[in-house]
């Protein structure tokens, strides 16, 4: 199977422009493509994971990735897919976050011998002359057309600042610079970036002629990745100091039955033939699929040694305590407030804490996990559907744990 066809088979591609040309470039290893990362934190999280795996997959096929760090665009924030304005950061914070990103990306992408590049758009955006931007770039954009973009329509009711309105122009200019300076002929992004990406392609063709060789490909990496990257207690980070390898493993071990095979297809490097044999799995076999997913991704991010340790730790949790004889507690609708029960109530209901005050101390001291995920917010709460969806294991400390069931 050709590389492009494999991307389709794995469910990565939503829509593209110039599909025949894109397919040829990717399959022949001639694509020079970029994906942008705004440095809003000092660690990447699993919301970036699909992009990193895609870059690695295409690099393995001979294509050249460019990791574009948004040191310049990060100064104003990206309104795409958001209803509020992102908080601005200092240049020192942005530089620190960019350094952290490069270190983490190096686990996925080979930057040696010109096989990949990492560039920062602050290098060209920071020194732009305002009059020059208006003349050379702004003149190619229609305000009426820009206002039809979904990312701007969402902000119109609350108010769209001129600063945010310029983000599309800045991102489009990024592609123009990368095309001219590094021969970048393709850009990747998620659904919420589509309008900005089309703007970049159009800018190149308007300034350099319709025959300018620039493509746009739209992948479901932001829309799907953002869903995977958030949990009840916040983001799942790739930095082991923020999310331990064990917590990372447990996050993937506890994805829903409906999502496990989709995640294996999109994020692992297991052969499609092997994954197809899992499509008939059900019941307890899906738990095995989740273990495979958790191990493969932990190995990819943290290495084989940490993946094995996380796997062994997860199994040790249940050694001598299988599902039939694990301590069990029940919650019902009567225990819910506004359709949810908070983490303090669960600790008391399961007898893992004698009172809500004790439960609060347990959470604040970092000693409570749900399905291997550390809970640090005392306001964390769960619906009956979340409790009933899969094994719901509440743990306090190293040895005290309880399976929570919802009783109708």
């Amino acid at each position: 199977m050709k590389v492009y066809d494999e991307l389709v088979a794995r469910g990565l591609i939503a829509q593209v422009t110039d599909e025949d040309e894109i397919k040829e470039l990717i399959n022949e290893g001639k694509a020079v493509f970029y994906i942008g990362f705004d440095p809003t934190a000092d660690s990447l999280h699993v919301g970036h994971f699909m992009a990193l795996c895609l870059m690695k997959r295409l690099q393995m096929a001979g294509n050249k990735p460019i990791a574009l760090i948004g040191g310049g665009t990060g100064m104003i924030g990206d309104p795409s897919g958001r209803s509020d304005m992102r908080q601005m950061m200092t240049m020192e914070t942005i530089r620190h976050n960019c350094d952290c990103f490069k270190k983490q990306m190096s686990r996925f992408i080979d930057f040696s011998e010109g096989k990949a590049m990492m560039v920062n758009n602050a290098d060209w955006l920071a020194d732009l002359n305002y009059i020059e931007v208006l003349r050379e770039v702004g003149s190619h954009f229609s305000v009426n057309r820009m206002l039809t973009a979904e990312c701007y329509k969402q902000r119109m009711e609350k108010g769209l600042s001129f600063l945010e309105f310029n983000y599309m122009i800045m991102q489009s200019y990024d592609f123009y610079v990368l095309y001219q300076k590094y021969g970048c002929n393709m850009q990747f992004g998620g659904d919420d970036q589509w309008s900005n990406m089309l703007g970049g392609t159009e800018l190149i063709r308007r300034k350099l002629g319709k025959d300018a060789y620039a493509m746009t490909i739209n992948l479901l990496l932001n829309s799907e990745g953002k869903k995977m990257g958030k949990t009840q207690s916040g983001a799942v980070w790739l930095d082991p100091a923020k999310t331990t390898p064990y917590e990372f493993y447990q996050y993937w071990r506890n994805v829903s039955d409906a999502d496990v095979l989709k995640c294996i297809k999109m994020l692992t490097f297991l052969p499609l033939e092997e994954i197809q044999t899992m499509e008939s799995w059900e019941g307890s076999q899906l738990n095995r699929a989740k273990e495979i997913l958790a191990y493969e991704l932990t190995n990819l991010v943290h290495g084989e040694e940490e993946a094995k340790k996380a796997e062994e730790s997860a199994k040790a949790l249940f050694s001598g305590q299988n599902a039939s004889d694990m301590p069990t507690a029940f919650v019902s609708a009567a225990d819910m407030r506004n359709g949810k029960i908070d983490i303090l109530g669960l600790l008391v209901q399961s007898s893992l804490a004698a009172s809500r005050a004790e439960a609060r101390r347990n959470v604040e001291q970092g000693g409570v996990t749900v399905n291997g995920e550390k809970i640090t917010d005392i306001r964390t709460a769960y619906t009956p559907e979340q409790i009933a969806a899969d094994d719901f294991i509440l743990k306090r400390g190293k040895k005290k744990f309880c399976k929570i069931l919802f009783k109708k």
Side-chain angles (χ1 to χ4, degrees):
M1 182 182 293
K2 295 286 188 179
V3 180
Y4 183 86
D5 294 329
E6 183 174 349
L7 298 181
V8 173
R10 289 182 179 272
L12 291 169
I13 296 180
Q15 57 182 325
V16 301
T17 63
D18 310 281
E19 183 174 35
D20 291 341
E21 291 88 346
I22 289 173
K23 183 184 297 186
E24 180 180 351
L25 285 172
I26 287 177
N27 287 342
E28 294 183 4
K30 296 180 180 178
V32 181
F33 65 95
Y34 94 89
I35 299 180
F37 300 83
D38 270 349
T40 54
D42 59 1
S43 173
L44 298 165
H45 55 70
V46 298
H48 300 111
F49 206 63
M50 193 177 295
L52 294 171
C53 291
L54 177 70
M55 295 172 85
K56 180 180 178 69
R57 200 182 304 278
L58 291 179
Q59 186 182 50
M60 291 168 62
N63 298 286
K64 183 176 180 178
I66 299 176
L68 175 66
I69 306 299
T73 44
M75 290 298 293
I76 66 168
D78 178 4
S80 302
R82 299 173 59 87
S83 60
D84 57 349
M85 185 174 169
R86 180 177 291 161
Q87 186 174 4
M88 293 190 192
M89 300 177 292
T90 66
M91 283 301 297
E92 290 74 19
T93 298
I94 290 174
R95 279 194 292 267
H96 172 71
N97 293 350
C98 289
D99 291 340
C100 294
F101 277 21
K102 184 168 186 179
K103 182 178 179 181
Q104 291 178 342
M105 286 181 181
S106 296
R107 289 198 63 90
F108 294 82
I109 304 164
D110 182 3
F111 289 100
S112 68
E113 300 175 355
K115 296 175 183 175
M117 299 179 62
M118 176 174 286
V119 296
N120 187 332
N121 64 11
D123 292 344
W124 54 83
L125 293 178
D127 296 327
L128 280 176
N129 178 281
Y130 186 63
I131 298 297
E132 181 183 355
V133 172
L134 291 178
R135 283 174 53 89
E136 301 299 326
V137 183
S139 61
H140 296 286
F141 288 82
S142 162
V143 171
N144 290 343
R145 184 172 178 180
M146 290 172 71
L147 288 175
T148 64
E150 193 63 32
C151 60
Y152 290 132
K153 287 196 294 185
Q154 294 174 4
R155 293 281 292 117
M156 286 298 289
E157 292 184 8
K158 291 187 177 182
L160 179 66
S161 73
F162 181 72
L163 179 143
E164 295 170 277
F165 191 61
N166 277 269
Y167 192 90
M168 181 184 292
I169 295 176
M170 294 174 73
Q171 183 170 333
S172 299
Y173 188 72
D174 283 344
F175 193 20
Y176 173 70
V177 171
L178 292 173
Y179 175 86
Q180 287 199 300
K181 194 170 184 178
Y182 303 112
C184 180
N185 53 28
M186 203 175 295
Q187 58 179 331
F188 294 176
D191 282 347
D192 59 350
Q193 297 289 318
W194 186 240
S195 297
N196 295 347
M197 293 161 63
L198 291 177
T201 301
E202 187 167 340
L203 176 63
I204 291 173
R205 292 179 179 177
R206 279 177 174 268
K207 287 186 70 63
L208 303 179
K210 292 184 179 180
D211 294 332
Y213 210 49
M215 315 294 179
T216 300
I217 185 170
N218 185 30
L219 304 180
L220 283 174
L221 51 89
N222 283 345
S223 57
E224 291 293 327
K226 286 178 180 177
K227 294 176 187 177
M228 293 187 292
K230 296 290 183 182
T231 70
Q232 289 246 344
S233 61
V236 177
W237 304 99
L238 305 193
D239 184 346
K242 290 177 173 288
T243 299
T244 68
Y246 174 75
E247 291 168 337
F248 187 85
Y249 177 96
Q250 285 290 17
Y251 171 75
W252 296 107
R253 171 61 182 82
N254 291 292
V255 299
S256 69
D257 289 356
D259 288 337
V260 59
L261 287 180
K262 178 172 66 176
C263 290
I264 289 177
K265 277 185 179 180
M266 289 181 169
L267 303 178
T268 76
F269 289 80
L270 295 175
L272 279 172
E273 294 78 7
E274 183 177 341
I275 297 172
Q276 287 168 355
T277 65
M278 302 179 191
E279 292 178 349
S280 61
W281 289 8
E282 56 186 25
S284 61
Q285 288 178 307
L286 287 177
N287 287 329
R288 176 57 186 149
K290 294 176 185 180
E291 291 173 351
I292 292 171
L293 172 68
Y295 180 85
E296 290 293 327
L297 298 190
T298 307
N299 182 19
L300 187 60
V301 174
H302 298 295
E304 184 177 9
E305 182 179 353
E306 291 294 342
K308 288 181 178 178
K309 285 166 60 177
E311 183 178 53
E312 291 168 0
S313 296
K315 291 179 178 178
L317 174 65
F318 302 105
S319 61
Q321 296 278 357
N322 58 36
S324 62
D325 60 14
M326 182 185 298
T328 302
F330 294 88
V331 295
S332 66
D335 301 309
M336 305 279 172
R337 291 186 179 181
N338 298 320
K340 293 184 177 182
I341 182 169
D342 66 12
I343 189 65
L344 306 185
L346 284 176
L347 286 164
V348 174
Q349 190 76 7
S350 63
S351 299
L352 293 181
S355 65
R356 288 182 66 86
E358 180 183 332
R360 183 187 184 106
R361 288 194 297 272
N362 295 152
V363 172
E364 291 177 340
Q365 291 169 2
V368 176
T369 65
V370 170
N371 294 336
E373 177 189 334
K374 184 182 292 185
I375 307 300
T376 56
D377 187 348
I378 61 172
R379 296 169 296 181
T380 301
Y382 301 90
T383 64
E385 291 78 12
Q386 288 174 302
I387 294 173
D390 203 343
D391 288 346
F392 191 98
I393 311 301
L394 178 63
K395 186 180 178 187
R396 197 204 84 189
K398 293 184 178 180
K399 297 182 179 179
K400 295 183 178 180
F401 53 90
C402 183
K403 182 175 182 179
I404 308 296
L405 300 174
F406 183 73
K407 186 176 182 180
K408 295 183 180 180

